[in-house]
Amino acid sequence: CKLHFQKLEVLCNHLYEGTDLAQRMQAEKVLLELINSPECLSQCQLLLEQGTTSYAQLLAATCLSKLVSRASPLPVEQRIDIRNYILNYVASQPKLAPFVMQALVQVIAKITKLGWFEVLKDQLIFRDITADVKKFLQGTVDHYIIGVMILSELTQEMNLVDYSRPSAKHRKIATSFRDTSLKDILMLACSLLKELLAKPLTIQDRQQESLAMHLLKLVLNCLNFDFIGNSADESADDLCTVQIPTNWRTIFLEPGTLDLFFDLYHSLPPMLSQLALSCLVQFASTRRSLFSNPERAKYLGNLIKGVKQILENPQGLSDPGTYHEFCRFLARLKTNYQLGELVMVKDYPEVIRLIANFTITSLQHWEFAPNSVHYLLTLWQRMVASVPFVKTAEPHLLDTYAPEITKAYITSRLDCVPVVIRDGLEDPLDDTATVFQQLEQLCTVSRCEYEKTCTLLVQLFDQNAQNYQKLLHSSSRNPLEITVQEGRLAWLVYFVGTFVGGRLTYTSTDEHDAMDGELSCRVFQLISLMDAQLPQSSNEKVELAILWFLDQFRKTYVGDQLQHTSKQAALSCMLLSFSMQGVNILTAMFIKQF
């Protein structure tokens, strides 16, 4: 027996640490036989109690997990014994390696979920898990953490769809758990967080930090629960609404609930602040119908007040993870609330100014957290798109700040070109998917006070085109400077194509069409200038940008669904400036269309 046990420990090391593929495959084969053998439970117990390495304990937890998850379940009495054994084991071994503790807690969660409706002696014997956890909350900080981990893993497991089992059974268990236990778990977690916040937390107190982390993860798991069984696609992050049950209203109407998480954000270190913001993202996404109109206005006011406090003391946003979650938080505010509601909030004028400054600063630091910019542009895109539907007399101030956002994006992208080329950095233009997504968002923002956007773009285009011509005709042609200038022109052509392509029939005027014409004729003149350099030289980025512009221009001003007057307003401006090359391009586009 001792020899067999030693062999198991060696196999554990081969499985989790081994680099020899043959040894690992042999270990997997033997361990699979162990799971299917009658001695599996006794061997797992032996590994847990006498194993000399964490890998031995992990193997035991893995075997138990597979054992209790079988399609043909173990007898209910045996599963009760396994659950109670693991509860007692982790209570007596609170210093287990984190990955071992997590694996054992997962076994408890699986047993509880799969036995949720099982009855023994007229009792639903697997539903007393909350009472078992409360025993842990009476012990040391380590025991506190174990108890919270059990609730967190159970909440996550209840929400996890096991496609190997009937979906109707999963939904029935999840719904029952939601109705009987989830609210109490959330209230317990918030209560424990309040207790934790009341104590001074120092950076050296790793145990308290760990407890705070697990409590915040527990709250997040509660708020991420699939309340109505729609299995929402997580990739549609910006469209998410949290369908909080109606009987949770009291938690959300209590102002102290939001205040708690804003206070946690300001009090905890960056990693934990990030989790506090993740919880606030879910609070901001709460379904509108949970509140009456006055309640919703008050709730929104508390959210905006919290945003103002964060932006007035933005030091914590220097952490990339925290910054990203805050950007998500801002985007969710507009997803769930109408512009007409936002402008009615007392702090709106100050907060929109702070958000605008935050966005401008973010755009100027183009190399920092580019994925987070998506959420900031989403916010401004939806704000500007809502302007025609605002019926209140309160000023939305977007006509002041939207042009500044557009200007910051344009100038920051032009400024990045020499840095990218001279320092050999990754060029943002190479990530075309991100560029097109951001340009599509910026297009809506740019249409607010479009005159300012066009004036800026015309000025920048003329300036850079003139500089490019001078460099081309200079006796000492500097290839690096020419490349920089071509990179700037590529960005400018993308901007023109995007703004022209973003024309909306129901909001456009003849003046706007004429501005599109002013911008477009400059691109056609650039085409002529670039063609004059062939075949001696060409720039792929500029050529791709020109193709993008031509496609956008064709869809907007050459399509047969547009009125003749709309086409003429834009085209008349261009014809004044076209070279023969430009006229040929335009003629070819019309022939192709008609």
Side-chain angles (χ1 to χ4, degrees):
C1 183
K2 183 177 180 181
L3 183 62
H4 182 61
F5 175 72
Q6 290 174 342
K7 181 181 177 183
L8 274 179
E9 285 208 307
V10 170
L11 289 172
C12 290
N13 290 333
H14 287 166
L15 182 63
Y16 295 112
E17 280 190 323
T19 56
D20 187 296
L21 181 60
Q23 284 186 336
R24 289 187 63 182
M25 291 180 65
Q26 178 62 25
E28 287 178 4
K29 179 182 176 182
V30 174
L31 297 176
L32 186 62
E33 293 173 357
L34 171 64
I35 294 170
N36 296 321
S37 71
E39 296 86 20
C40 181
L41 282 175
S42 60
Q43 292 295 330
C44 288
Q45 184 176 352
L46 191 65
L47 286 170
L48 287 172
E49 293 177 356
Q50 298 183 26
T52 58
T53 68
S54 297
Y55 293 128
Q57 297 162 336
L58 178 60
L59 172 67
T62 304
C63 289
L64 288 173
S65 178
K66 293 183 180 299
L67 201 60
V68 301
S69 302
R70 284 177 172 172
S72 53
L74 296 172
V76 62
E77 294 87 353
Q78 202 166 23
R79 280 178 282 143
I80 293 173
D81 289 342
I82 293 173
R83 186 198 65 168
N84 291 340
Y85 174 81
I86 295 176
L87 286 170
N88 290 328
Y89 179 77
V90 295
S92 64
Q93 304 282 340
K95 298 290 187 182
L96 287 170
F99 59 87
V100 176
M101 185 65 74
Q102 186 67 39
L104 289 169
V105 164
Q106 193 177 56
V107 177
I108 297 172
K110 285 185 175 182
I111 291 175
T112 304
K113 177 181 179 178
L114 296 175
W116 189 252
F117 287 111
E118 294 201 44
V119 177
L120 186 66
K121 298 178 181 179
D122 298 325
Q123 287 187 339
L124 294 161
I125 34 81
F126 287 109
R127 295 198 189 183
D128 56 355
I129 188 69
T130 307
D132 293 326
V133 166
K134 286 183 177 178
K135 297 175 184 176
F136 284 91
L137 302 182
Q138 298 168 2
T140 65
V141 176
D142 286 326
H143 288 92
Y144 250 85
I145 292 171
I146 295 170
V148 174
M149 284 179 68
I150 292 172
L151 291 178
S152 186
E153 187 63 39
L154 177 62
T155 304
Q156 198 166 16
E157 182 67 33
M158 288 291 187
N159 202 35
L160 188 66
V161 180
D162 183 356
Y163 293 101
S164 66
R165 300 175 189 276
S167 58
K169 182 179 181 182
H170 159 76
R171 195 61 231 159
K172 186 178 179 182
I173 293 171
T175 302
S176 174
F177 177 75
R178 177 200 67 191
D179 294 340
T180 61
S181 305
L182 193 56
K183 180 183 176 183
D184 292 336
I185 291 174
L186 176 63
M187 293 177 66
L188 174 63
C190 290
S191 174
L192 294 175
L193 281 169
K194 287 178 184 176
E195 291 179 12
L196 189 68
L197 189 61
K199 303 173 186 176
L201 183 65
T202 62
I203 296 178
Q204 289 76 23
D205 197 343
R206 298 301 180 190
Q207 277 189 319
Q208 293 293 332
E209 282 190 14
S210 179
L211 177 57
M213 179 187 70
H214 286 291
L215 282 169
L216 287 168
K217 285 184 176 179
L218 172 57
V219 171
L220 196 55
N221 285 342
C222 291
L223 297 175
N224 279 330
F225 200 82
D226 185 7
F227 295 103
I228 59 175
N230 62 354
S231 300
D233 181 6
E234 292 182 2
S235 65
D237 179 81
D238 58 336
L239 302 176
C240 184
T241 298
V242 182
Q243 301 293 334
I244 296 295
T246 303
N247 65 342
W248 290 26
R249 287 180 77 252
T250 52
I251 303 174
F252 286 73
L253 289 176
E254 172 56 47
T257 302
L258 285 179
D259 291 343
L260 169 64
F261 289 91
F262 281 116
D263 290 343
L264 286 165
Y265 164 81
H266 290 291
S267 304
L268 296 173
M271 179 63 72
L272 302 182
S273 295
Q274 177 182 338
L275 284 172
L277 275 177
S278 297
C279 294
L280 285 166
V281 169
Q282 297 303 99
F283 279 111
S285 307
T286 302
R287 64 181 172 93
R288 296 172 53 81
S289 55
L290 186 68
F291 309 111
S292 65
N293 287 342
E295 290 168 346
R296 191 184 310 115
K298 185 178 179 181
Y299 188 76
L300 176 59
N302 289 331
L303 288 170
I304 294 297
K305 182 181 72 174
V307 170
K308 181 182 176 185
Q309 291 171 347
I310 291 174
L311 288 174
E312 286 176 337
N313 300 281
Q315 294 84 357
L317 298 176
S318 58
D319 175 73
T322 306
Y323 167 83
H324 182 76
E325 288 304 307
F326 183 66
C327 292
R328 289 184 63 230
F329 179 44
L330 292 178
R332 288 290 181 94
L333 284 176
K334 182 57 192 78
T335 300
N336 214 28
Y337 294 93
Q338 299 169 3
L339 182 57
E341 293 174 307
L342 290 167
V343 299
M344 298 301 293
V345 176
K346 175 186 173 184
D347 292 326
Y348 175 80
E350 178 63 14
V351 169
I352 197 66
R353 182 187 68 82
L354 290 169
I355 293 175
N357 291 339
F358 172 72
T359 305
I360 290 168
T361 302
S362 298
L363 293 175
Q364 289 170 342
H365 293 81
W366 54 270
E367 73 285 2
F368 180 74
N371 292 334
S372 307
V373 170
H374 163 76
Y375 296 104
L376 293 177
L377 292 177
T378 296
L379 168 68
W380 288 99
Q381 178 190 28
R382 291 182 173 177
M383 294 273 277
V384 171
S386 302
V387 168
F389 310 103
V390 176
K391 305 301 180 185
T392 62
E394 298 294 326
H396 53 68
L397 302 175
L398 295 179
D399 49 356
T400 299
Y401 297 117
E404 294 182 13
I405 302 301
T406 305
K407 180 180 178 180
Y409 189 93
I410 292 173
T411 55
S412 67
R413 270 47 191 177
L414 297 183
D415 291 343
C416 86
V417 174
V419 180
V420 166
I421 292 174
R422 288 168 184 160
D423 296 346
L425 303 178
E426 185 175 349
D427 191 345
L429 273 179
D430 292 335
D431 185 2
T432 53
T434 299
V435 169
F436 291 159
Q437 181 187 61
Q438 292 182 356
L439 289 177
E440 182 182 351
Q441 294 171 311
L442 185 71
C443 174
T444 305
V445 183
S446 72
R447 285 277 165 176
C448 185
E449 297 295 309
Y450 193 46
E451 297 84 353
K452 294 181 181 179
T453 298
C454 287
T455 301
L456 172 67
L457 210 49
V458 165
Q459 177 188 348
L460 291 171
F461 207 112
D462 288 347
Q463 177 186 335
N464 283 276
Q466 289 170 10
N467 291 340
Y468 184 53
Q469 278 185 306
K470 289 177 182 177
L471 287 170
L472 290 177
H473 296 104
S474 172
S475 55
S476 57
R477 289 169 60 112
N478 186 327
L480 183 63
E481 289 299 327
I482 291 176
T483 304
V484 168
Q485 211 59 50
E486 288 174 339
R488 290 176 185 271
L489 287 170
W491 274 110
L492 288 167
V493 172
Y494 273 122
F495 291 137
V496 173
T498 300
F499 298 158
V500 169
R503 176 187 183 276
L504 297 175
T505 305
Y506 63 88
T507 59
S508 289
T509 63
D510 287 345
E511 289 78 11
H512 284 186
D513 287 343
M515 292 175 200
D516 285 349
E518 287 284 348
L519 293 172
S520 298
C521 73
R522 282 162 170 77
V523 179
F524 281 106
Q525 288 173 330
L526 178 64
I527 292 173
S528 178
L529 178 62
M530 297 294 293
D531 284 353
Q533 308 305 310
L534 297 173
Q536 289 87 358
S537 64
S538 64
N539 184 288
E540 181 181 347
K541 287 185 172 62
V542 179
E543 291 174 356
L544 289 173
I546 288 173
L547 288 173
W548 163 261
F549 160 77
L550 291 173
D551 186 51
Q552 298 302 305
F553 181 82
R554 179 190 60 79
K555 289 189 292 187
T556 303
Y557 284 112
V558 186
D560 56 1
Q561 74 277 14
L562 295 173
Q563 295 179 1
H564 175 73
T565 53
S566 297
K567 298 177 186 177
Q568 185 63 32
L571 301 184
S572 60
C573 241
M574 288 174 244
L575 291 173
L576 294 173
S577 315
F578 274 168
S579 62
M580 184 56 67
Q581 176 69 20
V583 173
N584 291 339
I585 291 172
L586 189 59
T587 303
M589 292 169 68
F590 267 106
I591 291 172
K592 180 180 179 183
Q593 184 68 30
F594 298 111

